[in-house]
Amino acid sequence: MLTLNAIRNQTKEVIERLSKRAIDRSSDIEEILKLDEAKRSKQTELEQNLAKSNMLAKEIGELFKSGKKEEADIKKEESVKLKDASKTLEFEMAEIEEKLTQKLYEIPNTPSHQVKLGKTPEDNEVVFEWGEEPKLHKDAKPHWELTSQYSLVDFELGNKITGAGFPVYTGKGARLQRALINFFLDEALNAGYYEIQPPILVNEASGYGTGQLPDKEGQMYHMTVDNLYCIPTAEVPITNIYRDVILKEEELPIKNVGYTPCFRREAGSYGAHVRGLNRLHQFDKVEIVQIAHPEKSYELLEEMVEHVKGLMMKLGLKFRILRLCGGDMGFASAMTYDFEAWSGAQQKWLEVSSTSNFETFQANRLKCRFKNKECKNELVHTLNGSALALPRIVASILENYQTEEGINLPVCLHPYLGFTKI
RNA sequence: GGAGAGUUGUCCGAGUGGUUUAAGGAGCACGCCUGGAAAGCGUGUAUAGGCCCAAAGCUUAUCUAGGGUUCGAAUCCCUAACUCUCCGCCA
């Protein structure tokens, strides 16, 4: 959620930055400003009333004490009248306030200056590309055939136990998963991240904190009996650690890493592009999260990008980095880099990481602040990125490293695997 | 799941309807004192808002949360969350 302060004091800049999402939000902003003003005038009126009531109550107390009951009764009547007036004002104010927050919730984050104006994925900028086209033999197969040929993933079995999109990893497939998770975690630890193992069910407040609620309610699995949600990403519990927290400036930046399974309903997406491991309801991901000083956040975003880059290079997978255009960015993001791994047999790019700076958008909802040099509380910036999401990495590895004699796994994984080849 | 007890500021802790404008203590910060430190003394010590160009000042709300009773609620009533103890169940 954008801060009212920004909308009020930097109106022009907010509208300008929002326009990069290829939608004009100026009328919404105008409405917010109007509602804000209306709310404030009601509030002033209400508070003056309350101040009077408080004074009267005190006077009545003193009159009672000195035994002047009749005078007290007169003041009582006055007080009752004031109270009615206050109730009306309070109601009116609450009504305006609700409209205001509703409107605020609907406004996406303002893209950073570096983000290009654009509407669709075609407008995204490729900022980096690395690796060579794998030389595959003529019978090279897509990963969903390899997984069944080598008994790595059983989609049918998952279908039986749970449903489509919940694969069962078996044998070397399961061990590859475990190796990747450990590799990603160790790499993050070496880069200075602190490991967290969070709950994978979260409450409503956490959903609101990172912005999954109310807008993306349909994306999460919801346990209605206990009103808990399955996390769609470790970002939700790990960032919510800092909900309602005031940090010391010297604690920043906080760098956390966590592995969790992730659950996404992905309602309405079926067909060829969800084949095999391309899109699942449950998948594994190692996530890096940073809580940053506002002046340092973009530097740290680049640092995170470098970290993910390093992972891809060690895995030896051809990949590219996109800086998303305004229209393709997530609702809460101010700037996002997507990493795409090349899938040699499918001949297409698969998104394997999304690394973003949310600036104060999440921090505002989370109420995560730090005490700055003037001892004032200031909102932090939050950042996160996948480092990395497993299924599509597995797909790329299997497809790109396949030979007629089997699949040669990346050297960096050997110590984690206990075997080198499938 | 059942029964009981609890939740007050950074922390401890007093407080059963009106000088609570949240006592007192500890911690922390600053100052005095000191050769330096401790002790001692003094001052300060939350959050979110509103009025205001701003500051100063004034003001509202916040004693786990949300409702209610009352002229007036930390205090009384209702609901919920959490913590502790005992019982039950359990990897």
Side-chain angles (χ1 to χ4, degrees):
Chain A
M1 179 162 61
L2 293 178
T3 62
L4 253 182
N5 243 333
I7 293 177
R8 220 188 278 162
N9 300 330
Q10 295 138 40
T11 314
K12 254 196 183 161
E13 201 195 325
V14 166
I15 291 174
E16 198 195 304
R17 283 176 71 176
L18 279 173
S19 71
K20 293 205 174 153
R21 289 185 180 265
I23 346 160
D24 181 25
R25 290 292 197 156
S26 50
S27 63
D28 292 313
I29 297 294
E30 226 168 89
E31 200 184 333
I32 285 174
L33 286 172
K34 267 191 207 152
L35 285 168
D36 175 46
E37 203 165 312
K39 192 215 114 189
R40 271 152 53 208
S41 87
K42 283 278 176 226
Q43 184 176 350
T44 306
E45 212 181 324
L46 171 66
E47 285 182 358
Q48 280 168 357
N49 256 11
L50 289 176
K52 263 189 228 167
S53 293
N54 285 345
M55 229 161 58
L56 277 175
K58 223 175 270 176
E59 285 170 17
I60 291 168
E62 275 160 32
L63 288 173
F64 262 113
K65 215 169 255 174
S66 52
K68 296 176 187 159
K69 200 163 177 295
E70 276 155 41
E71 274 179 63
D73 284 341
I74 293 168
K75 297 236 179 205
K76 258 197 202 179
E77 264 174 59
E78 202 179 327
S79 188
V80 172
K81 268 185 215 155
L82 256 182
K83 212 179 142 185
D84 284 342
S86 297
K87 269 210 174 133
T88 316
L89 282 170
E90 207 182 328
F91 178 79
E92 287 168 353
M93 189 180 99
E95 226 176 17
I96 297 170
E97 204 168 8
E98 205 191 310
K99 270 189 212 158
L100 180 61
T101 20
Q102 194 54 46
K103 264 283 169 226
L104 273 175
Y105 270 141
E106 285 169 18
I107 308 287
N109 200 358
T110 48
S112 130
H113 318 286
Q114 295 171 72
V115 172
K116 241 180 68 182
L117 168 70
K119 234 180 186 160
T120 64
E122 278 85 71
D123 298 320
N124 295 337
E125 310 166 71
V126 177
V127 294
F128 185 84
E129 211 168 333
W130 184 89
E132 281 172 28
E133 179 70 31
K135 292 184 188 81
L136 301 184
H137 59 280
K138 65 179 185 338
D139 291 323
K141 297 168 181 167
H143 71 268
W144 53 84
E145 288 181 25
L146 296 168
T147 51
S148 97
Q149 181 184 335
Y150 295 104
S151 302
L152 303 173
V153 185
D154 196 329
F155 292 98
E156 288 304 309
L157 189 56
N159 208 342
K160 169 186 161 187
I161 301 170
T162 306
F166 293 90
V168 178
Y169 300 90
T170 55
K172 284 186 174 173
R175 292 169 70 184
L176 175 59
Q177 291 278 117
R178 183 154 58 87
L180 280 166
I181 292 164
N182 283 331
F183 169 64
F184 292 149
L185 283 173
D186 282 351
E187 288 291 310
L189 290 179
N190 288 337
Y193 289 85
Y194 181 73
E195 189 171 343
I196 304 271
Q197 219 179 89
I200 57 178
L201 298 184
V202 294
N203 58 26
E204 221 176 358
S206 295
Y208 277 96
T210 30
Q212 278 68 29
L213 296 173
D215 6 301
K216 286 178 231 153
E217 168 119 46
Q219 194 201 77
M220 290 190 288
Y221 287 94
H222 186 198
M223 327 264 158
T224 50
V225 176
D226 298 295
N227 198 22
L228 296 172
Y229 294 86
C230 281
I231 58 170
T233 158
E235 163 200 342
V236 180
I238 294 181
T239 310
N240 269 284
I241 292 172
Y242 305 97
R243 171 151 48 83
D244 293 316
V245 167
I246 297 171
L247 296 157
K248 293 189 191 111
E249 189 167 3
E250 58 268 24
E251 288 179 90
L252 302 175
I254 292 171
K255 300 167 72 176
N256 287 337
V257 60
Y259 151 71
T260 65
C262 303
F263 303 87
R264 298 188 184 177
R265 294 186 62 234
E266 305 289 0
S269 51
Y270 299 98
H273 63 292
V274 304
R275 229 165 145 194
L277 295 168
N278 287 355
R279 176 161 300 177
L280 301 168
H281 288 309
Q282 178 181 333
F283 63 96
D284 294 295
K285 182 156 65 67
V286 172
E287 182 83 0
I288 49 178
V289 173
Q290 295 213 25
I291 309 293
H293 192 288
E295 280 164 24
K296 294 281 165 64
S297 66
Y298 278 96
E299 221 171 279
L300 294 169
L301 179 64
E302 295 307 318
E303 180 200 297
M304 288 167 80
V305 166
E306 285 307 309
H307 176 72
V308 179
K309 225 191 236 180
L311 298 177
M312 293 303 287
M313 289 175 174
K314 282 187 186 169
L315 288 169
L317 296 173
K318 180 183 171 178
F319 74 100
R320 63 179 192 178
I321 304 176
L322 308 175
R323 187 190 287 131
L324 298 191
C325 72
D328 201 31
M329 270 192 339
F331 188 81
S333 175
M335 181 146 108
T336 296
Y337 289 105
D338 270 9
F339 283 70
E340 294 183 331
W342 181 249
S343 151
Q346 296 180 73
Q347 284 288 301
K348 66 179 192 183
W349 294 104
L350 299 176
E351 186 192 327
V352 292
S353 173
S354 188
T355 301
S356 309
N357 187 352
F358 300 93
E359 297 190 3
T360 60
F361 197 83
Q362 287 183 330
N364 188 30
R365 283 199 195 178
L366 288 164
K367 295 205 186 73
C368 177
R369 293 152 297 174
F370 71 99
K371 279 232 185 286
N372 65 20
K373 300 226 161 55
E374 288 90 51
C375 262
K376 287 255 163 76
N377 291 339
E378 191 179 332
L379 291 171
V380 299
H381 282 192
T382 59
L383 303 98
N384 67 52
S386 349
L388 283 158
L390 267 73
R392 293 173 189 162
I393 290 289
V394 170
S396 294
I397 290 175
L398 299 182
E399 290 184 15
N400 296 3
Y401 283 104
Q402 63 179 308
T403 68
E404 278 164 296
E405 290 80 41
I407 303 164
N408 298 312
L409 295 165
V411 177
C412 66
L413 295 179
H414 291 182
Y416 293 95
L417 281 165
F419 53 93
T420 61
K421 198 178 160 173
I422 294 173

